Coordinates of all heavy atoms in Angstrom, one line a residue:
D285 N 5.6 -26.2 -20.1 CA 4.5 -26.3 -20.9 C 3.2 -25.7 -20.3 O 2.1 -25.8 -20.9 CB 4.3 -27.7 -21.5 CG 4.0 -28.7 -20.4 OD1 4.3 -28.4 -19.2 OD2 3.4 -29.7 -20.7
K286 N 3.3 -25.2 -19.1 CA 2.2 -24.6 -18.4 C 2.4 -23.1 -18.2 O 3.5 -22.6 -18.1 CB 1.9 -25.3 -17.1 CG 1.6 -26.8 -17.2 CD 0.2 -27.0 -17.7 CE -0.1 -28.4 -17.8 NZ -1.5 -28.7 -18.3
G287 N 1.3 -22.4 -18.0 CA 1.4 -21.0 -17.7 C 0.3 -20.5 -16.8 O -0.4 -21.3 -16.2
A288 N 0.1 -19.2 -16.7 CA -0.9 -18.7 -15.8 C -1.4 -17.3 -16.4 O -0.7 -16.7 -17.2 CB -0.3 -18.5 -14.4
V289 N -2.5 -17.0 -15.9 CA -3.1 -15.6 -16.2 C -3.2 -14.9 -14.9 O -3.8 -15.5 -13.9 CB -4.5 -15.7 -16.9 CG1 -5.0 -14.4 -17.1 CG2 -4.4 -16.5 -18.2
S290 N -2.7 -13.7 -14.8 CA -2.8 -13.0 -13.6 C -3.1 -11.5 -13.9 O -2.9 -11.1 -15.0 CB -1.5 -13.0 -12.8 OG -0.4 -12.4 -13.5
G291 N -3.6 -10.8 -12.9 CA -3.9 -9.4 -13.2 C -4.6 -8.7 -12.0 O -4.6 -9.3 -10.9
T292 N -5.0 -7.5 -12.3 CA -5.7 -6.7 -11.2 C -7.0 -6.2 -11.8 O -7.1 -5.7 -12.9 CB -4.9 -5.5 -10.9 OG1 -3.6 -5.9 -10.4 CG2 -5.5 -4.7 -9.8
V293 N -8.1 -6.4 -11.1 CA -9.4 -6.0 -11.5 C -9.7 -4.6 -10.9 O -9.6 -4.4 -9.7 CB -10.5 -7.0 -11.1 CG1 -11.9 -6.6 -11.6 CG2 -10.2 -8.4 -11.5
K294 N -10.1 -3.7 -11.8 CA -10.4 -2.3 -11.4 C -11.6 -1.8 -12.0 O -12.0 -2.3 -13.1 CB -9.2 -1.4 -11.8 CG -7.9 -1.7 -11.2 CD -6.8 -0.7 -11.7 CE -5.5 -1.1 -11.0 NZ -4.5 -0.1 -11.4
D295 N -12.3 -0.8 -11.4 CA -13.5 -0.3 -12.0 C -13.1 0.9 -12.9 O -11.9 1.2 -13.1 CB -14.5 0.1 -11.0 CG -14.1 1.3 -10.1 OD1 -13.1 2.0 -10.4 OD2 -14.8 1.5 -9.1
S296 N -14.1 1.6 -13.5 CA -13.8 2.7 -14.4 C -13.1 3.9 -13.8 O -12.5 4.7 -14.5 CB -15.1 3.1 -15.1 OG -16.0 3.6 -14.1
T297 N -13.1 4.0 -12.5 CA -12.4 5.1 -11.8 C -11.0 4.7 -11.4 O -10.2 5.5 -10.9 CB -13.1 5.6 -10.6 OG1 -13.1 4.5 -9.6 CG2 -14.6 5.9 -10.9
G298 N -10.6 3.4 -11.6 CA -9.3 2.9 -11.3 C -9.2 2.3 -9.9 O -8.2 1.9 -9.4
A299 N -10.4 2.3 -9.2 CA -10.4 1.6 -7.9 C -10.4 0.1 -8.0 O -11.1 -0.4 -8.9 CB -11.7 2.0 -7.1
V300 N -9.6 -0.6 -7.2 CA -9.5 -2.1 -7.3 C -10.9 -2.6 -6.8 O -11.6 -2.1 -6.0 CB -8.4 -2.6 -6.4 CG1 -7.0 -2.1 -7.0 CG2 -8.5 -2.3 -5.0
L301 N -11.2 -3.9 -7.3 CA -12.4 -4.6 -6.9 C -12.1 -5.9 -6.2 O -11.9 -6.9 -6.9 CB -13.2 -4.8 -8.2 CG -13.7 -3.6 -8.9 CD1 -14.4 -4.0 -10.2 CD2 -14.6 -2.8 -8.0
P302 N -12.0 -5.8 -4.9 CA -11.7 -7.1 -4.2 C -13.0 -8.0 -4.3 O -14.1 -7.5 -4.3 CB -11.5 -6.6 -2.7 CG -12.1 -5.3 -2.7 CD -12.1 -4.7 -4.0
G303 N -12.8 -9.3 -4.3 CA -13.9 -10.2 -4.4 C -14.5 -10.4 -5.7 O -15.5 -11.0 -5.8
A304 N -13.9 -9.9 -6.8 CA -14.4 -10.1 -8.1 C -14.1 -11.5 -8.6 O -13.0 -12.0 -8.3 CB -13.8 -9.1 -9.1
R305 N -15.1 -12.1 -9.2 CA -14.8 -13.5 -9.7 C -14.3 -13.4 -11.1 O -15.0 -12.8 -12.0 CB -16.1 -14.3 -9.7 CG -16.0 -15.7 -10.2 CD -17.3 -16.5 -10.0 NE -17.3 -17.8 -10.7 CZ -16.8 -18.9 -10.1 NH1 -16.3 -18.8 -8.9 NH2 -16.8 -20.0 -10.7
V306 N -13.2 -14.0 -11.4 CA -12.5 -14.0 -12.7 C -12.5 -15.5 -13.2 O -12.0 -16.4 -12.5 CB -11.1 -13.5 -12.7 CG1 -10.5 -13.5 -14.0 CG2 -11.1 -12.1 -12.0
E307 N -13.2 -15.7 -14.3 CA -13.4 -17.1 -14.8 C -13.0 -17.2 -16.3 O -13.3 -16.3 -17.0 CB -14.8 -17.5 -14.6 CG -15.1 -18.9 -15.0 CD -16.6 -19.3 -14.8 OE1 -17.4 -18.4 -14.8 OE2 -16.8 -20.5 -14.6
L308 N -12.3 -18.3 -16.6 CA -12.1 -18.5 -18.0 C -13.4 -18.9 -18.7 O -14.2 -19.6 -18.1 CB -11.0 -19.6 -18.2 CG -9.6 -19.3 -17.7 CD1 -8.7 -20.5 -18.0 CD2 -9.1 -18.0 -18.2
A309 N -13.6 -18.4 -19.9 CA -14.9 -18.6 -20.5 C -15.2 -20.0 -20.7 O -14.3 -20.9 -20.7 CB -14.8 -17.9 -21.9
Q310 N -16.5 -20.3 -20.7 CA -17.1 -21.7 -20.9 C -16.7 -22.6 -19.7 O -16.2 -23.7 -19.9 CB -16.6 -22.3 -22.2 CG -17.1 -21.5 -23.4 CD -16.5 -22.0 -24.7 OE1 -15.7 -23.0 -24.7 NE2 -17.0 -21.4 -25.8
N311 N -17.0 -22.1 -18.5 CA -16.9 -22.8 -17.3 C -15.5 -23.4 -17.0 O -15.3 -24.5 -16.5 CB -17.9 -24.0 -17.2 CG -19.3 -23.5 -17.3 OD1 -19.6 -22.5 -16.6 ND2 -20.1 -24.1 -18.0
G312 N -14.5 -22.6 -17.3 CA -13.1 -23.0 -17.0 C -12.7 -22.7 -15.6 O -13.6 -22.3 -14.8
P313 N -11.4 -22.8 -15.3 CA -11.0 -22.5 -13.9 C -11.3 -21.0 -13.6 O -11.5 -20.2 -14.5 CB -9.4 -22.7 -14.0 CG -9.2 -23.4 -15.3 CD -10.4 -23.2 -16.2
S314 N -11.4 -20.7 -12.3 CA -11.7 -19.4 -11.9 C -10.9 -19.0 -10.6 O -10.2 -19.9 -10.0 CB -13.2 -19.3 -11.5 OG -13.5 -20.1 -10.4
A315 N -10.9 -17.7 -10.3 CA -10.3 -17.2 -9.1 C -11.1 -16.0 -8.6 O -11.9 -15.5 -9.4 CB -8.8 -16.8 -9.4
V316 N -10.8 -15.6 -7.4 CA -11.5 -14.5 -6.8 C -10.4 -13.5 -6.5 O -9.4 -13.9 -5.9 CB -12.3 -14.8 -5.5 CG1 -12.9 -13.6 -4.9 CG2 -13.4 -15.8 -5.9
S317 N -10.6 -12.2 -6.8 CA -9.5 -11.2 -6.6 C -9.4 -11.0 -5.1 O -10.4 -11.0 -4.3 CB -9.9 -9.9 -7.3 OG -11.1 -9.4 -6.9
D318 N -8.2 -10.7 -4.7 CA -7.9 -10.5 -3.3 C -8.2 -9.0 -2.9 O -8.8 -8.3 -3.6 CB -6.4 -10.9 -3.0 CG -5.4 -10.0 -3.6 OD1 -5.8 -8.9 -4.2 OD2 -4.2 -10.4 -3.7
S319 N -7.8 -8.6 -1.7 CA -8.1 -7.3 -1.2 C -7.5 -6.2 -2.0 O -7.9 -5.0 -1.9 CB -7.6 -7.2 0.3 OG -6.2 -7.4 0.4
Q320 N -6.5 -6.5 -2.8 CA -5.8 -5.6 -3.7 C -6.3 -5.7 -5.1 O -5.8 -5.1 -6.1 CB -4.3 -5.8 -3.7 CG -3.7 -5.6 -2.3 CD -4.0 -4.2 -1.8 OE1 -3.7 -3.2 -2.4 NE2 -4.4 -4.2 -0.5
G321 N -7.4 -6.5 -5.4 CA -8.0 -6.7 -6.7 C -7.2 -7.6 -7.5 O -7.4 -7.8 -8.7
Q322 N -6.1 -8.3 -7.0 CA -5.3 -9.2 -7.8 C -5.8 -10.6 -7.8 O -6.4 -11.0 -6.9 CB -3.9 -9.1 -7.2 CG -3.3 -7.8 -7.3 CD -1.9 -7.7 -6.7 OE1 -1.4 -8.6 -6.0 NE2 -1.2 -6.6 -7.0
F323 N -5.5 -11.3 -9.0 CA -6.0 -12.7 -9.1 C -4.9 -13.4 -9.9 O -4.0 -12.9 -10.5 CB -7.3 -12.7 -9.9 CG -7.2 -12.4 -11.3 CD1 -6.9 -13.3 -12.3 CD2 -7.3 -11.0 -11.7 CE1 -6.8 -13.0 -13.6 CE2 -7.2 -10.7 -13.0 CZ -6.9 -11.6 -14.0
L324 N -5.0 -14.8 -9.7 CA -4.1 -15.7 -10.5 C -4.8 -17.0 -10.8 O -5.4 -17.6 -9.9 CB -2.8 -16.0 -9.6 CG -1.9 -17.1 -10.1 CD1 -1.2 -16.6 -11.3 CD2 -0.9 -17.5 -9.0
I325 N -4.8 -17.4 -12.0 CA -5.3 -18.7 -12.5 C -4.1 -19.4 -13.1 O -3.5 -18.9 -14.1 CB -6.4 -18.5 -13.5 CG1 -7.6 -17.7 -12.9 CG2 -6.9 -19.9 -13.9 CD1 -8.7 -17.4 -13.9
S326 N -3.6 -20.5 -12.5 CA -2.4 -21.1 -12.9 C -2.7 -22.5 -13.6 O -3.8 -22.9 -13.6 CB -1.5 -21.3 -11.7 OG -2.1 -22.0 -10.7
S327 N -1.6 -23.1 -13.9 CA -1.6 -24.5 -14.6 C -2.4 -24.5 -15.9 O -3.2 -25.4 -16.1 CB -2.1 -25.5 -13.6 OG -1.3 -25.6 -12.5
L328 N -2.2 -23.5 -16.7 CA -2.9 -23.4 -18.0 C -2.1 -23.9 -19.1 O -0.9 -23.5 -19.2 CB -3.4 -22.0 -18.2 CG -4.3 -21.4 -17.2 CD1 -4.6 -19.9 -17.5 CD2 -5.6 -22.2 -17.1
A329 N -2.6 -24.6 -20.1 CA -1.9 -25.0 -21.3 C -1.8 -23.7 -22.1 O -2.6 -22.8 -22.0 CB -2.8 -26.0 -22.0

């Protein structure tokens, strides 16, 4: 009954953005993208 949101953050040229903060709207859980621009927010309903 739980899931996750994962992905890669990139800019308009396709370059990855390490250190980008990814947050669920309205002060939800958050993650910071790694050196490859990838992030994971887990344990979501």
Side-chain angles (χ1 to χ4, degrees):
D285 61 338
K286 296 289 181 179
V289 176
S290 64
T292 303
V293 183
K294 299 180 180 183
D295 68 13
S296 59
T297 67
V300 298
L301 296 176
R305 181 178 172 83
V306 181
E307 181 178 28
L308 296 183
Q310 301 176 354
N311 298 321
S314 65
V316 175
S317 60
D318 65 14
S319 62
Q320 300 300 312
Q322 298 178 348
F323 69 92
L324 171 68
I325 302 173
S326 58
S327 298
L328 299 175

